[in-house]
Each structure stands twice: as structure tokens, then as C-alpha cells.
Amino acid sequence: MRIVLCYPVEKRHLARLAQVAPEHEIVDAGQEHIAEEILRADIFCGHAKVTVPWDQVVRLGRLRWIQSSAAGLDHCLTPEVVASDILVTSASGVFADAVAEQTLALLLGLLRRLPTFFRNQQQKMFERCPTRDLHGATVGIVGFGGNGRRIAELLSAFRTKIVATDMFPPRELPDHVKAVWPADQLDRLLEGSDIVILTLPLNARTRGLINRQRLFRMKPGSILINVARGPIVVEKDLVEALQSGHLWAAGLDVTEIEPLPEGSPLWDLPNVLLTPHVGAQSARRSDLVTELFAANLQRFFSGQPLLNLVDKELGFPVPLQYRTP
Ligand code: OXD
């Protein structure tokens, strides 16, 4: 079989994959060649950031499996791929430590007013202003998958009250989580949380989910953190909620359009902390992807169920306990 890769691969990653697939051809296509190489792939592992002819890939009928090197699948779940027999597995949860740390950085940075103090530092200004606490806050996590669960674990050390929503609420809750409600109880979460953290996948159901109506349902003075995907939030509505003072602040690792256009008002809002979609960019990212892919290759060749197998209609892996055999 021809295994085509498109993520930052080094020699050691190729060597590791060759160990588990010694009889197969492994091609490191990179972003430059992926649009042609994908047409000759039986298995693909990566995240093509260039346009890929997915309709042609499906018509050719050669590709059997996509192992996404990203947790989010918006890069490959086109309608043609969804309707095809191609298996899709994601890197969901693999970068959860990094995303959780990024979430804490944004959240603590805002609460302890680091952007204000940093601006003052640049002016050599020693000026005090009130800060806010994380301990004692109610934190609402929207999407209790790998990232949401890890964030909850870290937040529990801060003595916060944690609630969440998810399409598939776990039957058993970790001790540090007060409640995980079904996804249709989002408004309840928004109304009761001091801090709302978005960790849900982008799909047809979640695009534009956090709109004007929902933003203004959030508690006055609350904070929104988005480490998921930009288009889940209607950005012009967010700007309004921030400018009006209804929201106290927002920490955004992702935006509707990336890179964020120069003309976006988000750049200049003093109550916004922006990072350029680096939540999952840990130094070990390619190692983690390679280990997941190696484990899944072994399963694929021996006919075992794949890890993180995605329900393509839903756009994310369904937890094992909810899968129909
Ligand atoms: C991912 C990401 O989906 O980096 O993995 O955003």
C-alpha cells in the first residue's frame, strides 16, 4: 500500500512508521505535493492546508483511510468524503495537554490583567488596577471531549465549580465536575457561568452557535475563551458584546478567518487576548501524531477497531460507550 503523509515529518518519524509498515511505501508529500500525491494514496495521514481535490479522490476510489493529524476535521470532511466509504480517524485528545495549558494561559492572563500590565510595562508605568480571581468561579465547558476533560482536570486545582455540555454526556462524572448536561442545555450553561470555554468541534450544527442571542445570555461581566474553531462564534456579535461591556473579556486562540484580517476590530479591543491558533502547537506535536498513527496502522493491518474512529456525519469520534457495535 502507498501511505502518504502531510505533516511536519522528520527522519525519526519515517523510521517509526517503517517499523510498523515495513512492506508498504511511505511517502512524505508535504504541503507542496499533497494535492497530487493524495490521488495515489491508499492511506493518508496529515492535514492538507492547501486545496485538495477531495471529489476526485473519492471518484478514484483508491483512498481507504484518512488519519487526520489535527483534532479538528474541517480540513477533510467534505460532503464527498462524508458520503464515501473512506474511514476517518482524528487526533482528538492527543494534544489535550497543550490545549489545556493554552486555555489556562489565556484565562489567567485576562483575569490577572496581564495585557494591561504589559502595555503599562512598555510605557514604564507602575499603575495598579483590580484583578479577578479564578478560584470560586463557575466555569462552563462547551464540549466535553478530550480537550474539555483535560481543561476540567487542570481547573479543578483552582477550586472552581465546573459544569459542561456535550452531545454524549459521560455516564460517570469525574469527581471534580458538577454536571455534564446534554448539548441542548447550552443556554443553561451560558446563563450560569462566569467563564465559558469553547472546546467543541466545528460542523454544520456548531457553525455560528455562539451568536448575539447566546452571547447576551451569558452573565454580565463574564468571560469567553475559544480554543476550538473561530466560526463557532459570530465574530461581529462578539465584538458588540465586548464593546458594550456585557462581556468582560475574551481570550481567542482561533478566529473566524485566519490569519485574522488587519481590519478586524478584535485587534484593538483592550479586553481581548489573541493568540494565533497555537493551542495544539506543542513541540511534541509530530511525535504524538506519529505515535497515534503507528498504533492505528497496527490496528488497521490486524483488523482491530481503529482509535478515534470518526462518525463522519457528526464530525467527531463518538465515545466507545455510545457506539453501536
Ligand atoms: C487541531 C488544531 O485541530 O491544531 O489539531 O487546531
Side-chain angles (χ1 to χ4, degrees):
M1 277 201 222
R2 207 155 184 273
I3 303 172
V4 172
L5 311 176
C6 180
Y7 66 96
V9 179
E10 292 175 32
K11 276 202 182 117
R12 66 177 191 285
H13 304 124
L14 292 171
R16 173 75 183 110
L17 296 173
Q19 267 174 2
V20 292
E23 285 132 40
H24 303 277
E25 188 187 357
I26 302 177
V27 180
D28 175 13
Q31 299 295 343
E32 320 80 68
H33 302 295
I34 191 59
E36 314 105 63
E37 286 295 346
I38 192 81
L39 301 172
R40 292 188 286 279
D42 298 293
I43 296 174
F44 165 59
C45 175
H47 176 179
K49 299 197 172 146
V50 295
T51 308
V52 162
W54 288 113
D55 50 343
Q56 206 182 337
V57 171
V58 171
R59 269 200 315 278
L60 286 173
R62 175 165 178 176
L63 188 67
R64 292 175 58 187
W65 167 31
I66 299 171
Q67 168 65 66
S68 168
S69 62
L73 294 164
D74 34 319
H75 63 98
C76 65
L77 278 190
T78 64
E80 297 86 358
V81 172
V82 172
S84 75
D85 291 338
I86 299 171
L87 298 172
V88 177
T89 50
S90 87
S92 170
V94 173
F95 318 119
D97 286 322
V99 174
E101 288 173 19
Q102 183 73 15
T103 305
L104 275 188
L106 288 169
L107 186 51
L108 288 170
L110 287 168
L111 289 166
R112 309 311 294 184
R113 304 195 80 141
L114 295 191
T116 304
F117 294 135
F118 183 64
R119 279 190 289 268
N120 291 353
Q121 179 184 343
Q122 289 177 311
Q123 313 284 323
K124 300 193 186 340
M125 251 166 74
F126 187 91
E127 193 175 283
R128 284 177 157 166
C129 66
T131 60
R132 285 177 59 172
D133 297 327
L134 179 51
H135 61 268
T138 297
V139 183
I141 301 178
V142 185
F144 204 58
N147 291 344
R149 284 197 296 270
R150 183 66 188 131
I151 290 168
E153 275 169 16
L154 295 194
L155 283 175
S156 67
F158 291 86
R159 284 177 278 121
T160 51
K161 175 179 160 193
I162 300 167
V163 294
T165 52
D166 197 83
M167 271 188 86
F168 297 95
R171 301 208 171 116
E172 275 173 37
L173 287 190
D175 288 345
H176 53 273
V177 177
K178 199 98 190 127
V180 182
W181 300 308
D184 61 6
Q185 297 202 31
L186 174 63
D187 287 349
R188 177 175 177 191
L189 176 147
L190 296 177
E191 283 162 10
S193 302
D194 303 301
I195 294 156
V196 173
I197 301 176
L198 304 179
T199 51
L200 68 172
L202 174 65
N203 55 38
R205 275 174 303 273
T206 62
R207 187 175 290 275
L209 182 74
I210 307 297
N211 55 16
R212 188 176 190 285
Q213 192 203 350
R214 293 217 165 83
L215 287 163
F216 281 88
R217 259 182 202 274
M218 286 173 62
K219 274 185 165 180
S222 58
I223 297 175
L224 180 74
I225 303 287
N226 190 1
V227 287
R229 285 291 185 268
I232 294 171
V233 179
V234 181
E235 219 154 81
K236 68 170 182 23
D237 297 346
L238 174 63
V239 169
E240 185 189 338
L242 287 161
Q243 277 173 336
S244 70
H246 179 73
L247 289 193
W248 190 72
L252 308 173
D253 186 46
V254 288
T255 50
E256 225 167 62
I257 301 174
E258 292 177 10
L260 182 64
E262 216 183 305
S264 168
L266 288 175
W267 287 115
D268 298 314
L269 288 180
N271 48 352
V272 169
L273 184 49
L274 287 168
T275 51
H277 200 148
V278 289
Q281 295 302 319
S282 112
R284 295 182 52 236
R285 184 173 173 122
S286 289
D287 295 347
L288 296 170
V289 169
T290 304
E291 275 320 308
L292 170 70
F293 187 40
N296 255 346
L297 275 173
Q298 274 167 327
R299 287 169 171 260
F300 185 81
F301 293 134
S302 62
Q304 284 171 270
L306 296 179
L307 304 169
N308 280 350
L309 183 65
V310 168
D311 177 321
K312 291 190 286 177
E313 294 291 339
L314 289 174
F316 56 89
V318 172
L320 268 179
Q321 58 191 10
Y322 280 96
R323 271 188 217 162
T324 39

